[in-house]
Amino acid sequence: QVQLVESGGGLVQAGGSLRLSCAASGRTFSDYAMGWFRQAPGKEREFVAAISWSGSPTSYTDALKGRFTISRDNAKNTVYLQMNNLKPEDTAVYYCASSRGLYDLRTAKVDYWGQGTQVTVSS
């Protein structure tokens, strides 16, 4: 069992930045690929980014490349999502997720989910 707890969400103006964190506990963090998904009001949950157990490779949804960066610190059992140049359409609940592989995360085959953190971008 793996427990995932997100933090770092909040309200930010368009053009601003936020860094989300996801702290993992339970089974060995470095065994898992980690990822971020988001769900906007009235929309389905969508893949944002993923990172392999070692930190490389990474994978992003095409629309967010260049603005969002995923990273991890296995010593701290934490994965991060740095979000820059935020836009109102980035408003969503952001979820941390873990799975055995990067491809599994890209195809939403998730073993464990966090509870989510709200990100709101004002125009």
Side-chain angles (χ1 to χ4, degrees), residues 47-87:
F47 171 79
V48 173
I51 188 167
S52 71
W53 68 271
S54 65
S56 180
T58 56
S59 179
Y60 297 89
T61 191
D62 287 344
L64 299 176
K65 282 182 182 177
R67 292 197 299 122
F68 288 16
T69 303
I70 189 170
S71 62
R72 67 190 292 162
D73 185 339
N74 286 346
K76 295 182 178 180
N77 288 356
T78 302
V79 62
Y80 305 97
L81 185 68
Q82 178 67 43
M83 306 185 294
N84 298 327
N85 190 22
L86 283 161
K87 304 176 180 181

